Amino acid sequence: MRLIARLDIKNEHVIKGIHLEGLRKVGDPNRLAKAYYEQGIDEIVFMDAVASLYDRNNLYHIIEAACRDVFVPIAVGGGLRTVEDVSKALGAGADKVVINTGAFRNIHMIEEIARKFGSQCLVGSIEAKKRDGTWKAYVDNGREPTDRDVISWANELERAGVGEILLTSVDQEGTGRGFDVDLIEQMNVAISRPLIVSGGYGKQAHLDALLSRTRPSAIAFASVLHYERATVDDLRQAARAYQE
Amino acid sequence: MTANALTGIIDYGVGNLRSVQSAVERVGGIPLITSDPAQLLDCPRLILPGVGAFGHGMAELEARGLSAVVHQAVAAGTPLLGICLGMQMLTTRSFEFGDTPGLGLTAGTVTRLERSDGGERLRLPHVAWKPLRRVSGVLDWFFDGIGDDDRFYFIHSFAVQNAKVGVAALADHDGLAFAAVMTHGNVIGTQFHPEKSGPAGLKLLSNFVSKGR
């Protein structure tokens, strides 16, 4: 299982909120990325937390700098709206782009990116929130609801050509109260691409609760690393019992 | 740093060249990203990077006249390292979207990662960090300093699964074995990305840059 560090960024700072809201500064993106790399992280995801407000991603220079120090895959998301944006992100050195709102506005963009750059660089991002007993997909960093059921949306993203799905539980995100295991289990069964899950880790028991039910391809961690409640090695030890 | 550290990175319009460049720099090499045949033929070693589809990669290489350059360099004894798609293109052919000939510098053909017994379908692409099962005594200089527990980053849906010769290391996806490293003469190909595989990947690149000659 891959362990991913997720760095949500606003105005040059890594920030952390709860339910993707109420953002608090926690540090410098490149310093943290380097620290997690040195701890042995498997992958880094930079997310521009406010990009969708302005329809543009501002992380290109952070990616360029990260490439000089971090020799694991680097993904970037937030505010990527056009094939041109994607080309720029990959040119800056990103290995993968993470797309939610852009795909929702124009699914053909996903097809075009897959054709042009390959599915391996394309992560479809789904922000899930439970409403009336079912999980709906949200856009604009968890702010705007859509009518799409998360599972059917994930399947549509797969057909369009994404190589992986990043599933963020907005309900659990930043709470440290555990993963949304029901959601993750259903999604993992429903899709045939690797699943990255994000949101909710607070303590080792949460990992046990998740991994005894379903094995995602990767887990993204934020608060636990940012607030130094555990090291990458601690998390790897905890996940080891469930390695494939 | 001497000119001997010069490492040509073959630019054929495919793949994340910046990562390979940074990694080569980090291990003391002098990266030169170019599509110029004369410059490439002057380099004491070459890297063929690449991601994406096989047919597209071969077509782009041909369109720039670079497949002839690769053949010429290899015939002259220049060490060549193919990475991911670059490794696959070194083989004889690929069955990704039809049947496309490769460079034929190593054995093997490239096929989709599927169980032949019709068992449970594998999740693709295979995106994972995996240890290597080395073929004893092959490429010892390249693997110098690599331990059994060291893991490497793979992201691919196709692989060499049938090579009778030239396999230097194997890895697996959910029990299905494939070639992680292929070699023939002065040619090496890694299915994984050494430039994205942390300190262990950098160690391999360091060995290639300092010992590959």
Side-chain angles (χ1 to χ4, degrees):
Chain A
M1 191 161 338
R2 286 173 292 148
L3 307 182
I4 298 177
R6 174 173 175 157
L7 287 73
D8 291 276
I9 298 169
K10 179 185 180 182
N11 303 333
E12 314 277 307
H13 298 283
V14 174
I15 47 96
K16 194 68 203 91
I18 298 174
H19 309 307
L20 299 173
E21 286 181 288
L23 310 170
R24 210 167 113 190
K25 284 184 194 175
V26 291
D28 171 73
N30 289 110
R31 193 184 59 75
L32 286 177
K34 191 171 176 217
Y36 300 151
Y37 169 68
E38 282 164 359
Q39 284 182 29
I41 202 77
D42 292 331
E43 198 161 327
I44 304 270
V45 179
F46 292 106
M47 294 286 262
D48 192 332
V50 293
S52 48
L53 289 178
Y54 307 109
D55 263 5
R56 67 192 155 88
N57 186 294
N58 281 315
L59 306 185
Y60 301 118
H61 64 286
I62 290 174
I63 300 298
E64 281 174 18
C67 278
R68 290 193 284 272
D69 287 323
V70 171
F71 298 97
V72 295
I74 297 172
V76 60
L80 301 171
R81 296 287 184 266
T82 63
V83 175
E84 192 55 27
D85 292 342
V86 168
S87 176
K88 218 170 137 188
L90 298 175
D95 298 285
K96 303 176 188 181
V97 290
V98 182
I99 302 183
N100 177 23
T101 313
F104 208 86
R105 287 192 196 167
N106 179 13
I107 190 75
H108 301 299
M109 181 176 88
I110 297 295
E111 293 162 5
E112 201 181 333
I113 295 164
R115 208 165 40 236
K116 216 165 165 179
F117 305 106
S119 289
Q120 83 292 328
C121 76
L122 186 47
V123 181
S125 166
I126 298 181
E127 287 154 7
K129 220 172 186 174
K130 205 167 193 175
R131 235 168 50 217
D132 308 325
T134 60
W135 288 281
K136 298 291 187 191
Y138 276 63
V139 294
D140 288 335
N141 210 40
R143 281 183 293 268
E144 293 297 322
T146 76
D147 288 332
R148 291 303 300 266
D149 166 78
V150 291
I151 302 284
S152 81
W153 177 230
N155 290 142
E156 190 171 336
L157 287 170
E158 285 188 298
R159 282 193 298 275
V162 303
E164 297 175 78
I165 298 273
L166 166 64
L167 176 64
T168 303
S169 165
V170 181
D171 298 317
Q172 301 304 106
E173 202 281 328
T175 65
R177 289 201 294 250
F179 298 98
D180 193 334
V181 179
D182 291 333
L183 168 68
I184 292 167
E185 187 173 31
Q186 284 186 33
M187 183 63 82
N188 209 15
V189 170
I191 65 173
S192 59
R193 307 261 180 234
L195 177 65
I196 304 162
V197 301
S198 175
Y201 179 87
K203 55 184 181 187
Q204 186 174 336
H206 296 149
L207 218 44
D208 296 332
L210 173 67
L211 299 178
S212 60
R213 290 262 300 275
T214 189
R215 312 272 169 87
S217 170
I219 304 176
F221 297 93
S223 305
V224 58
L225 294 172
H226 301 338
Y227 297 125
E228 297 178 16
R229 293 196 196 108
T231 64
V232 172
D233 205 43
D234 296 334
L235 296 171
R236 199 178 301 286
Q237 293 300 335
R240 184 146 288 166
Y242 301 94
Q243 289 288 23
E244 69 265 72
Chain B
M1 192 56 60
T2 64
N4 194 38
L6 192 65
T7 303
I9 300 171
I10 302 171
D11 180 5
Y12 59 109
V14 171
N16 188 343
L17 302 181
R18 192 186 285 267
S19 296
V20 178
Q21 179 189 25
S22 301
V24 166
E25 255 162 20
R26 177 54 59 102
V27 302
I30 302 170
L32 174 67
I33 297 178
T34 180
S35 56
D36 181 72
Q39 282 192 324
L40 288 169
L41 288 169
D42 267 350
C43 289
R45 65 190 66 75
L46 294 173
I47 293 180
L48 181 64
V51 296
F54 191 100
H56 178 69
M58 283 305 296
E60 294 295 314
L61 203 61
E62 294 285 355
R64 290 166 176 77
L66 293 175
S67 91
V69 170
V70 170
H71 279 287
Q72 201 181 328
V74 170
T78 304
L80 171 70
L81 174 64
I83 296 174
C84 196
L85 175 66
M87 173 262 201
Q88 296 183 356
M89 295 196 310
L90 298 175
T91 67
T92 58
R93 59 202 322 109
S94 166
F95 294 94
E96 180 179 357
F97 309 121
D99 180 356
T100 315
L103 293 163
L105 293 167
T106 70
T109 59
V110 179
T111 52
R112 195 174 176 81
L113 281 167
E114 280 166 340
R115 294 188 206 282
S116 53
D117 60 5
E120 197 189 340
R121 228 173 90 200
L122 294 169
R123 210 174 273 267
L124 295 180
H126 173 227
V127 190
W129 288 71
K130 292 286 168 71
L132 307 179
R133 292 204 317 275
R134 283 187 55 197
V135 174
S136 166
V138 181
L139 291 183
D140 281 345
W141 64 270
F142 184 60
F143 290 110
D144 184 29
I146 301 298
D148 292 345
D149 294 335
D150 283 325
R151 302 170 313 135
F152 298 86
Y153 177 69
F154 291 85
I155 180 163
H156 61 124
S157 296
F158 288 74
V160 175
Q161 299 165 78
N162 55 357
K164 301 273 187 289
V165 294
V167 178
L170 293 163
D172 80 282
H173 178 18
D174 212 3
L176 182 70
F178 58 85
V181 182
M182 295 284 297
T183 187
H184 178 74
N186 44 328
V187 175
I188 303 173
T190 66
Q191 179 59 70
F192 55 86
H193 287 273
E195 79 282 13
K196 289 286 162 185
S197 295
L202 292 179
K203 180 65 183 152
L204 287 181
L205 286 173
S206 168
N207 290 342
F208 180 71
V209 168
S210 62
K211 301 177 183 177
R213 65 176 78 95

